[in-house]
Structure formats: C-alpha cells, structure tokens
Amino acid sequence: MFDSSTLLAMAAIVLVGMALALSQFCMVRSVLSIRTGDLSPARCVLAISLAIALSLQLLAVVDGGETRPSYTPSIAVVLGGLVFGIAARANGGCFIGTLNELCRGHWRRLYTVAGWILGFALLKVPPLPSHVQRPGEVVVVVLALAGLLLLLSLLAMRRRQEFRPNPALHGLRGGRAWGVMLITGVLTGLLHHSDWPWAPSRLATYLGRALHGEGVPVSAACALLLPLGMVIMHRWRRLVQPKRVVKADLPLLLWGTLMGLGTVWGMGANDGYLFRFLPVGSLHAAVGLTAMSAGILLPLEIAAASKRGSPATVSYTHLRAHE
C-alpha cells in the first residue's frame, strides 16, 4: 500500500512528535523562560531550527540546490506575529505546546484547536510577494541562529546552567539532550525537503478552508502522526492524565481563533516559521518570530509597568527614600 520512502517519512513524523514531547518544545515557554533566567528552552528551539537549516543546505548540495521561495516581510507579518504572540501567551502555549497538552489528556485544548480552524476559515489573504531563495539570506539566517545559540550557551556556561530542555526529565541533559535536538532537526529537515505537510498549522489551515468547501489533500492526514508520536511518548512516560473540560475553558476558543488569524496575517505560525520558512532563509519568518516574541512578553511588560506606576508602589518607594 505504501512504498518504503513513504513509510520512512511517516516514521520520521512520529519520531519528531516523540522528540518534541520529550523536550516539551514550546515557543511561549522558551520566550518566558529567558525572562526568568532559564535559557535551556530557548536553546532547544534555536538548536532544532539551526539543525534543520544545516541539514537542508547539505541536502541542497547533494540534490543540486533548493528551489524554495522566500517571502518579503511586511507590516501584515508584524501585525500577525503580535496577535499570535499575545493570543498564544493567553492560551498558555503555541501550536506545538498546545498539542503536547492535548496529547496528555488536557481536553480543554480542543477549544484551542477548534479556534485555530475557525481562524483559518474566517480570514483568507493573498500570499506575500515571493522571490527565489537567495544564498545571502540563508547565510544571514544560519549565522543569526548560530550566533544566538552561542550567546545563550555562553551565558548558560557563565551561570553554570546545564542544558536541560525538560527539567522534569533528569536523563535529558548535556550531550544527550544536544543529540536529541540534532536528530530532531535533521529528521525535520528531511521532512521539509520532501515537502510532507506534517506541521499542525498546515492541517488546521486545510480544515479551515474545508469549511468553505475547498478540498483537503489526503496527504494532510500525515500531520496526525505528529500528535500520535506525542501520545506514544507521554504514555510511555505515564504522563497522560485526562482532565475534563469546564466552562472556564471556553475563552480558549477565542485565543485559538486569534492564533489562527495571526497565522493568516503573518503567513506562518511559530511551527511554520521555525521548521519551514526560517531554515530556508525567508526573512519574513525572522520578522514574524520577533513580533511573536514581543507579543508574548507584551502583557507581562504592561503589567509590570502598571505595577510600578500604581499609587501603592509610588507611596512605598517614596517612604523608602525617606528612611
């Protein structure tokens, strides 16, 4: 029924899902962890994206060159990234992080998933202007990823902070953790190179468009193999703890919808940016990820600023100054 290459690709998707569950991959977590001083989640994200980029360049040499299009950044990308970041922060997780929780039995995440599909159904915009992949842009992206990863690693060394993407998993640390990140990136690069639509946001996009009567390609079903890998990993580690849906979870539908709308505006979610567009040098992904990070941090900065400017804080500061 399936040829050997198809079976290998399907197995690779399951393995990537298992690895993402193992490391508790989540962009929201990685951005917030930097703010609190834990650099491991961010290094995990950067390491996987860098491994994808390097593996794609190696495959390009072997196969005679990549022909992936790159997209020009625009104000819409900034707006979409900000909306996505704010909504993902309120939701408590990005696309991957949300699926991770759903695969652990947190059924409230079905509201978020339904919101994604609704967001893709509500809005459809023309794609950004594209151009042929430029080697210079690829070099800039690879150097930027490597530079950020090196900077965070040096800071971690200075703080004597071991690389532990998932603090709950004591065995995933140091060289073993770096090995998992490398293998995850290489497998993801192979999937990207073969153009398998395995990313969760791609499947949500197809399902949203299906509400308008558009057809869903059969190959889109392979995206279900990613959460299958997550379920396998969580069950193996006995982390599946079903939690029922309550009325208080209903706002997740709104946040999921805004995540979907932000993805359409920005032409990419965090999984598409990190795993698909950024590794091939598309600068709109770099702009979108920056805007997403700002959106994730924005509510915290606003809350901190309002707290600093509150009468109680001002009064306390005034009293301390006169002691």
Side-chain angles (χ1 to χ4, degrees):
M1 185 176 180
F2 299 108
D3 58 27
S4 58
S5 61
T6 301
L7 291 174
L8 286 173
M10 293 170 67
I13 297 172
V14 173
L15 289 173
V16 169
M18 293 175 68
L20 294 176
L22 193 67
S23 62
Q24 288 295 290
F25 185 100
C26 180
M27 182 175 172
V28 174
R29 175 172 167 256
S30 67
V31 172
L32 295 179
S33 294
I34 290 179
R35 197 173 187 273
T36 59
D38 182 8
L39 304 178
S40 289
R43 288 197 286 166
C44 166
V45 171
L46 290 170
I48 292 176
S49 193
L50 178 60
I52 296 171
L54 293 176
S55 63
L56 283 174
Q57 295 314 303
L58 180 60
L59 287 168
V61 173
V62 173
D63 287 356
E66 284 281 352
T67 57
R68 307 288 179 181
S70 293
Y71 297 92
T72 305
S74 68
I75 296 299
V77 174
V78 177
L79 173 64
L82 280 171
V83 170
F84 183 95
I86 293 170
R89 172 68 181 91
N91 175 66
C94 62
F95 273 85
I96 302 295
T98 297
L99 280 183
N100 246 324
E101 284 198 14
L102 179 60
C103 293
R104 291 176 62 181
H106 297 190
W107 302 121
R108 66 195 185 106
R109 290 303 177 190
L110 290 173
Y111 279 131
T112 306
V113 174
W116 296 344
I117 298 170
L118 181 60
F120 288 121
L122 289 174
L123 185 65
K124 186 176 181 180
V125 298
L128 295 171
S130 64
H131 56 266
V132 178
Q133 186 183 41
R134 297 168 181 165
E137 292 177 346
V138 177
V139 171
V140 168
V141 167
V142 170
L143 290 178
L145 288 171
L148 286 172
L149 182 58
L150 178 61
L151 176 61
L152 293 183
S153 297
L154 289 175
L155 288 173
M157 288 175 60
R158 186 176 180 181
R159 299 174 184 178
R160 297 182 180 180
Q161 189 180 106
E162 191 176 23
F163 181 51
R164 294 179 60 186
N166 185 356
L169 193 61
H170 299 292
L172 188 65
R173 59 171 67 189
R176 182 177 297 179
W178 286 116
V180 171
M181 300 307 105
L182 176 62
I183 293 171
T184 304
V186 171
L187 288 175
T188 306
L190 290 170
L191 291 171
H192 176 65
H193 184 72
S194 61
D195 206 27
W196 276 71
W198 63 273
S201 58
R202 293 280 291 276
L203 178 59
T205 303
Y206 287 132
L207 293 176
R209 292 174 181 174
L211 295 179
H212 292 287
E214 296 185 24
V216 178
V218 177
S219 60
C222 71
L224 297 174
L225 295 173
L226 189 78
L228 173 62
M230 293 178 176
V231 170
I232 291 172
M233 178 56 66
H234 290 318
R235 283 198 171 276
W236 178 50
R237 296 184 57 218
R238 298 180 180 178
L239 292 177
V240 177
Q241 298 174 342
K243 294 183 180 180
R244 291 188 297 178
V245 178
V246 297
K247 289 183 179 179
D249 296 326
L250 188 57
L252 293 176
L253 179 64
L254 170 63
W255 301 127
T257 302
L258 289 174
M259 288 171 72
L261 292 173
T263 300
V264 177
W265 276 319
M267 197 173 162
N270 66 295
D271 59 341
Y273 283 160
L274 288 166
F275 298 155
R276 182 182 173 198
F277 294 117
L278 191 64
V280 297
S282 188
L283 296 183
H284 90 288
V287 173
L289 286 169
T290 303
M292 283 180 185
S293 300
I296 291 169
L297 293 174
L298 186 60
L300 295 176
E301 296 302 326
I302 292 175
S306 63
K307 186 176 180 181
R308 285 194 298 268
S310 66
T313 303
V314 173
S315 177
Y316 176 76
T317 305
H318 180 74
L319 289 173
R320 290 288 295 174
H322 288 79
E323 285 184 356

